[in-house]
Amino acid sequence: MALASRLAWRSAEMTVPRDGSDARKAEFDRIFTEYSAPIYNYVLRMVGDPDRAADIAQDTFIKAYRKLDTLTDASSTRSWLYRIATNTAIDEMRRRRNVVRLDADEDRPVEQADGGPGPETQVLSGLMDERISRALLHLKPNHRQCLILSDVEDMSAVQIGEVMGMSNGAVRVLLCRARGEMRRRLAAEGLVR
Amino acid sequence: MRLRGNHVDELISASLTGDLTDAERVELDSHLVRCETCRNTLAAFTAERSILSGLPVAEPPRDLGARVRSGIESGRLAPWWRRPVGLIAIGASAAVVAAAILAVVVFQNLDLGPVGQASGSPKASVSAAPSSSAVASVAPSVGPTTAPTFLGPGGLGYLSLTGAPLEALRLSFIADATGASVDAGTVSGPPIAAALSPDGQWLAYITQKGETGANEVWALHLNDGKITHLGCSSAAPFTNRLAWSPDSRYLAYTLVGVDLGADAGCEKPTDGADAWLFDTSTGQRSNFSNRGNAYAADFEPMSVADVPVLWVSIASETPGSGAFGVGADINGAGLSNIFLPLFSPDGSRAIFWSGTMTSNGGSWHFSVGGMPQLSGDFRAAGPASPWVGTPLFTDLTPVGGEAFASGDFAWGPDNDHLAFWDGAWTGTPQSADGTYPNQADAYVGSFSSGLLSSASALALVRPADAYLVAIAFAQDGTSVAVTLGLPSAGIGDPPSALLQIVPLDGSAPHGIGGGTDAPPWNGPAVYGY
């Protein structure tokens, strides 16, 4: 039956292994120390709200700990972790956008379907130029994502593809569209021509 | 390369991150010399990149490390993410089931409400029950075509979902024997039900619509790959039944009204639950009922005078069901306390639900005494109504009316085997260890071997927290294909499901479709005729 299966999927709780070895813990500590600030900033720019960003960053690292065994090449730690963060942030935005309508207890406003600005715009304005934040949060989530990975995180198309699960060519196309859209948004704010 | 008119925006964009080949660099430099528009684009993209790269860096919360450690130790994510939403409260009322024996009452002129009936079919009136005379007088149905089918007789096919969760979930239908696949399009959630048309030319399937609490119904023409979107529905109990008419012309299904908003790409169907028809000959869909509490059950296995006969169930405190000729006058008499009958392939018996139902926001479930039942033999002569059912489970005793709220069942091709799964048991466990009945178990048995009991649970090889999505019997009757959903390894990770072939002789199951780094969702499965 569809409903019960869906709820089983939705409410599934992650079980974190408790048998971590010292080496595992040390590796995780290294990752957390190096990436906690970048990951927090990355998701903050994705969702625009410090509290939500903290929650997403928290869950990103919990999931990273659980999946640590899947990280076989230390050189790919960055893209591996950003991919987890990306999926976690996207899922959070998707849930917030779609699910709150069904939840009578939810008192947060519904985010626009295109991931556009909500109350987070006001919060973000304290952290960066309001016009930039407005332009960024108006982008489609995948446009915003690849633009941040490229221009803030300084990733190449190949690296962005590893994070987003896309081919190099698809990233180039997506990035071009995102730049065009961001250009129009910034131009409307008088920041670029 | 992305061109905007004669401009090279994609090259300009890629140049900012050093992602150009030497040839592309030469091309871009040459173009910029003669194109002022592209020079302006380069300047704007460069300024934009400079603005973004200069964004201030924020300090993460000082307690982030502690929160992560706490989450790891407790095994839980940030708590608000786990909060279930849109839950239907399923529970028994204070009422008590009066008797195990069903009181079968015929109520006349079951009304499906004003609808636009599918056209083009001859009109006919049909009997409420497939009595022996009715079965004896039916004309042979339009059998499967002789055209080659995608799966071939008995061939296994299954849906396979790959990709990232947002906007990039790709669904394919794969023939296991050949590895050939048909693109089933981009969807926003995993498939949870599938049904192959008797002629093997169409696949109907249901996918979850992201995390909205809704499902989408689709039809895929396996010959030309055309995909038809048949509507959205609340993911309510009893809405994953996909019934094909014997001649493969019609697909019957149920939509429960759900309003996802203007941006969801889903128009709201009628309020509440109604039966719908998809006519493969015209590509049109239409609602077969319009009363807010009607569910598509099953087609008679054989048409009557070439008119497909659809059983529709009416949900109410005491549910009922009636048979209707598609395109015929709506005058099917109904049977009380019969809900969602599913006929055996030869039409000799049916599995159906009985019990007291309750509505929750337009969808219905059993609140008291909900039990799957097996009918008697419709071909047998005698005074007893074949609709006086026998409980499918021989060792379950509802106490205080607490029984199943919902569940799924299926027939084997031999008209003897049957399966029940995903039963939402609302009562106290019926075994000493508290694990029976188990919603995560599949129960497979046969009429000839005494129906179902705790011993009928399939021995599945699965993670402890896997859940049952769907079951399909192989056409040779020796095994079932079981789709096992896996809880998300992490919120935002792609959905994942295992497809296992479970032999009914007790030998070990084996997997279909294999796994990858990010395991895909394989299933549900269907078998060719």
Side-chain angles (χ1 to χ4, degrees), chain B residues 427-457:
Chain B
T428 54
Q430 303 271 302
S431 65
D433 65 2
T435 61
Y436 176 70
N438 187 344
Q439 191 165 1
D441 274 336
Y443 300 91
V444 177
S446 66
F447 171 67
S448 60
S449 64
L451 298 176
L452 303 180
S453 68
S454 60
S456 305

Side-chain angles (χ1 to χ4, degrees), chain A residues 1 14 41 45 55 63 91 151, chain B residues 56 58 67 75 80 422 491:
Chain A
M1 191 283 301
M14 188 176 65
N41 276 274
R45 284 156 188 149
D55 278 344
K63 285 190 276 187
D91 192 78
D151 294 351
Chain B
R67 291 169 58 175
W80 64 272
D422 206 23
I491 295 173

Side-chain angles (χ1 to χ4, degrees), chain A residues 1-18 28 32 36-37 40-41 44-45 54-59 61-63 65-67 87-88 90-92 94-99 101-103 106 113 127-128 132 136 141-142 147 150-152 154-158 164 169 172-173 175-180 182-183 186 191-193, chain B residues 2 4 9-11 13-14 16-17 19-20 24 40-41 44-45 47-49 51-53 55-61 64-65 67-68 71-78 80-83 85-88 165-167 188 190 192 208 210-213 215 235-238 240 260-261 263 406 408 422 439 467-469 486-493 495:
Chain A
M1 191 283 301
L3 176 65
S5 297
R6 183 182 62 76
L7 292 176
W9 182 39
R10 177 199 298 281
S11 62
E13 294 180 0
M14 188 176 65
T15 301
V16 177
R18 297 164 185 258
F28 182 72
F32 182 81
S36 57
Y40 172 75
N41 276 274
L44 174 61
R45 284 156 188 149
D55 278 344
I56 295 168
Q58 172 188 340
D59 287 351
F61 283 103
I62 293 173
K63 285 190 276 187
Y65 180 87
R66 184 174 183 266
K67 293 178 160 185
N87 286 338
T88 306
I90 288 174
D91 192 78
E92 190 268 0
R94 191 164 52 130
R95 282 168 181 268
R96 185 168 296 271
R97 182 181 64 212
N98 292 327
V99 169
R101 301 172 189 215
L102 304 178
D103 188 349
E106 179 61 68
L127 302 175
M128 66 171 78
I132 301 173
L136 196 56
N142 58 344
L147 208 53
S150 170
D151 294 351
V152 181
D154 200 25
M155 289 187 182
S156 67
V158 172
M164 298 182 68
R172 281 178 43 154
V173 171
L175 199 47
C176 179
R177 290 175 178 164
R179 291 194 197 287
M182 188 62 175
R183 179 189 182 186
L186 291 177
L191 292 172
V192 300
R193 287 192 300 157
Chain B
R2 178 172 170 78
R4 180 171 55 85
D9 291 12
E10 186 182 321
L11 291 183
S13 171
L16 300 180
T17 48
D19 288 316
L20 292 183
E24 287 174 329
N40 290 336
T41 298
F45 281 6
E48 168 193 307
R49 181 173 168 83
I51 288 171
L52 289 180
S53 64
L55 289 174
V57 176
E59 285 293 323
L64 181 59
R67 291 169 58 175
V68 171
I72 290 173
E73 288 165 2
S74 69
R76 294 172 186 275
L77 300 173
W80 64 272
W81 285 31
R82 298 193 314 276
R83 183 180 57 203
V85 295
L87 270 169
I88 291 178
L166 183 69
E167 298 182 349
S188 55
I192 54 172
Q208 293 179 344
E211 297 288 341
T212 61
N215 293 334
F238 310 118
N240 61 347
L260 300 178
D263 298 322
S406 60
D408 272 343
D422 206 23
Q439 191 165 1
Y467 60 94
L468 258 294
V469 176
L486 302 179
S488 174
I491 295 173
D493 285 351

Side-chain angles (χ1 to χ4, degrees), chain B residues 46-436:
Chain B
T46 302
E48 168 193 307
R49 181 173 168 83
S50 175
I51 288 171
L52 289 180
S53 64
L55 289 174
V57 176
E59 285 293 323
R62 286 199 286 184
D63 65 347
L64 181 59
R67 291 169 58 175
V68 171
R69 279 194 299 275
S70 175
I72 290 173
E73 288 165 2
S74 69
R76 294 172 186 275
L77 300 173
W80 64 272
W81 285 31
R82 298 193 314 276
R83 183 180 57 203
V85 295
L87 270 169
I88 291 178
I90 297 175
S93 75
V96 176
V97 177
I101 298 176
L102 302 175
V104 178
V105 178
V106 175
F107 51 92
Q108 299 295 324
N109 299 324
L110 202 62
D111 181 16
L112 294 183
V115 297
Q117 276 271 290
S119 60
S121 295
K123 295 182 182 299
S125 299
V126 294
S127 166
S131 64
S132 55
S133 60
V135 172
S137 65
V138 297
S141 63
V142 178
T145 68
T146 56
T149 61
F150 180 72
L151 291 182
L156 168 68
Y158 60 95
L159 288 161
S160 182
L161 186 75
T162 56
L166 183 69
E167 298 182 349
L169 289 174
R170 200 75 195 174
L171 192 62
S172 302
F173 182 62
I174 298 173
D176 185 55
T178 64
S181 66
V182 178
D183 182 14
T186 299
V187 295
S188 55
I192 54 172
L196 188 69
S197 64
D199 65 5
Q201 308 294 316
W202 289 85
L203 182 76
Y205 53 97
I206 298 174
T207 61
Q208 293 179 344
K209 188 166 180 60
E211 297 288 341
T212 61
N215 293 334
E216 293 177 281
V217 186
W218 311 82
L220 169 66
H221 193 232
L222 296 174
N223 280 6
D224 62 19
K226 182 181 180 183
I227 302 167
T228 305
H229 187 250
L230 301 179
C232 294
S233 171
S234 171
F238 310 118
T239 57
N240 61 347
R241 181 77 63 88
L242 297 167
W244 285 101
S245 63
D247 61 2
S248 298
R249 177 174 172 180
Y250 297 104
L251 170 73
Y253 56 102
T254 301
L255 298 180
V256 175
V258 58
D259 189 355
L260 300 178
D263 298 322
C266 274
E267 64 173 304
K268 183 182 179 183
T270 56
D271 287 326
D274 273 296
W276 287 69
L277 276 182
F278 172 56
D279 184 345
T280 61
S281 68
T282 64
Q284 301 298 310
R285 65 173 189 136
S286 59
N287 54 316
F288 190 71
S289 66
N290 188 14
R291 54 175 291 158
N293 62 344
Y295 290 74
D298 199 8
F299 280 94
E300 282 283 332
M302 288 191 282
S303 300
V304 177
D306 287 334
V307 176
V309 177
L310 176 64
W311 280 75
V312 176
S313 293
I314 306 302
S316 65
E317 185 175 0
T318 300
S321 295
F324 301 87
V326 175
D329 292 333
I330 303 173
N331 64 347
L335 296 170
S336 179
N337 213 1
I338 306 293
F339 187 74
L340 226 59
L342 181 72
F343 295 100
S344 59
D346 66 359
S348 61
R349 292 179 185 272
I351 308 171
F352 60 91
W353 284 95
S354 67
T356 300
M357 301 190 78
T358 297
S359 172
N360 188 323
S363 72
W364 291 76
H365 62 273
F366 285 94
S367 55
V368 180
M371 287 292 285
Q373 309 273 343
L374 178 69
S375 78
D377 191 333
F378 295 119
R379 299 166 300 185
S385 167
W387 286 109
V388 176
T390 302
L392 219 52
F393 284 87
T394 58
D395 57 353
L396 288 178
T397 305
V399 177
E402 296 179 339
F404 288 108
S406 60
D408 272 343
F409 40 71
W411 277 102
D414 59 358
N415 305 293
D416 187 29
H417 277 84
L418 38 84
F420 180 84
W421 69 96
D422 206 23
W425 181 256
T426 62
T428 54
Q430 303 271 302
S431 65
D433 65 2
T435 61
Y436 176 70

